Amino acid sequence: PMSSKYITTFGGTLLNEVRASSLIGDGLASCSLAFDTNKVEDRSRSIVLASDNQVVDPSGQQVYSLSGAADLASEESNIRLFSLFGSDPTTVDPKLSGMTLDQARQDLRTVTEDHGGFFYEVDDPDAVEGIVKELETDQATVLEGDTEVRITDVPQTPAAWLVAVV
């Protein structure tokens, strides 16, 4: 039996009717579809996906493959994908996931880069800086609109009197 603390923490992610785990394609598709439907051209849309790409789905319950979800993100929603690959080699079981650690890494890299995204390793010291730099570059778009300047308090005269008195 699961502890109540575990169920409280992960309750929204556990479904008794789904006998699978790490459905990375469905997770990416879900994030892509969570963006608003207002297709503003100059709006930045990015997803940072951290995964070991070890899908365990013996019954084929995953709706979107990783590649299909990346298609949805890049073509349908114009989302840039940043993939951060990390894994604990002691937990990888190719019999369950169908991929070795190297195959999973290469698959995530290929899908990400084929869709114009950026791939990083979790232990790469430049990963965070690279992701932030790309996000800042993308979000530096100047939004046009009417600007309004309001001056609410300009204590020039009272400040001058105060200085003179002191």
Side-chain angles (χ1 to χ4, degrees), residues 118-166:
F118 299 88
F119 178 86
Y120 297 92
E121 297 277 348
V122 74
D123 59 358
D124 179 356
D126 298 325
V128 172
E129 183 181 342
I131 292 170
V132 170
K133 184 176 142 188
E134 286 297 328
L135 287 171
E136 286 176 343
T137 300
D138 188 46
Q139 293 180 6
T141 304
V142 177
L143 298 176
E144 295 182 20
D146 296 332
T147 57
E148 181 180 327
V149 178
R150 291 185 183 183
I151 300 173
T152 58
D153 189 17
V154 185
Q156 293 171 348
T157 304
W161 280 105
L162 179 62
V163 170
V165 170
V166 171

Side-chain angles (χ1 to χ4, degrees), residues 63-148:
V63 177
Y64 285 91
S65 66
L66 175 59
S67 182
D71 288 343
L72 175 72
S74 67
E75 295 167 13
E76 297 286 324
S77 302
N78 199 26
I79 296 170
R80 290 192 329 157
L81 179 60
F82 295 84
S83 293
L84 189 61
F85 180 84
S87 181
D88 178 358
T90 63
T91 63
V92 174
D93 186 352
K95 287 179 253 168
L96 288 174
S97 66
M99 282 194 271
T100 65
L101 191 57
D102 288 336
Q103 290 170 326
R105 175 186 290 108
Q106 189 55 47
D107 179 55
L108 184 58
R109 176 188 296 272
T110 300
V111 169
T112 301
E113 291 177 349
D114 284 354
H115 289 86
F118 299 88
F119 178 86
Y120 297 92
E121 297 277 348
V122 74
D123 59 358
D124 179 356
D126 298 325
V128 172
E129 183 181 342
I131 292 170
V132 170
K133 184 176 142 188
E134 286 297 328
L135 287 171
E136 286 176 343
T137 300
D138 188 46
Q139 293 180 6
T141 304
V142 177
L143 298 176
E144 295 182 20
D146 296 332
T147 57
E148 181 180 327

Side-chain angles (χ1 to χ4, degrees), residues 47-59:
I47 293 175
V48 179
L49 176 67
S51 178
D52 62 0
N53 197 20
Q54 292 290 308
V55 177
V56 178
D57 187 20
S59 303

Side-chain angles (χ1 to χ4, degrees), residues 21-36:
S21 67
S22 299
L23 303 181
I24 184 172
D26 288 353
L28 177 56
S30 176
C31 290
S32 299
L33 294 169
F35 281 99
D36 63 9

